[in-house]
Amino acid sequence: MAQTNKSRVNDACNLCVIALVVVLAGLLYVFGAAMSGDTLQLSESIRGAEIFDTRDVP
């Protein structure tokens, strides 16, 4: 059974939505880790990143 143009467009839209969800989940993870204060491991994974720990500064 041959696919119609409408079903191809629906398949493409479904793939785009899935890809968008994956990208947004990755961004949410990175920003969540950065905002939670667990930036030490996140910063160490980035080459050349400097860590400024200001939690103990009065």
Side-chain angles (χ1 to χ4, degrees):
M1 187 174 186
Q3 283 188 326
T4 63
N5 286 340
K6 187 175 181 179
S7 66
R8 287 185 186 138
V9 169
N10 286 341
D11 289 344
C13 286
N14 288 338
L15 288 176
C16 288
V17 168
I18 291 171
L20 181 64
V21 167
V22 169
V23 168
L24 290 176
L27 288 173
L28 182 64
Y29 173 76
V30 170
F31 285 121
M35 295 298 288
S36 70
D38 188 23
T39 57
L40 183 62
Q41 291 176 344
L42 185 65
S43 298
E44 286 177 349
S45 66
I46 301 172
R47 176 183 279 181
E50 296 182 21
I51 301 170
F52 297 101
D53 190 5
T54 59
R55 290 177 283 189
D56 296 332
V57 176

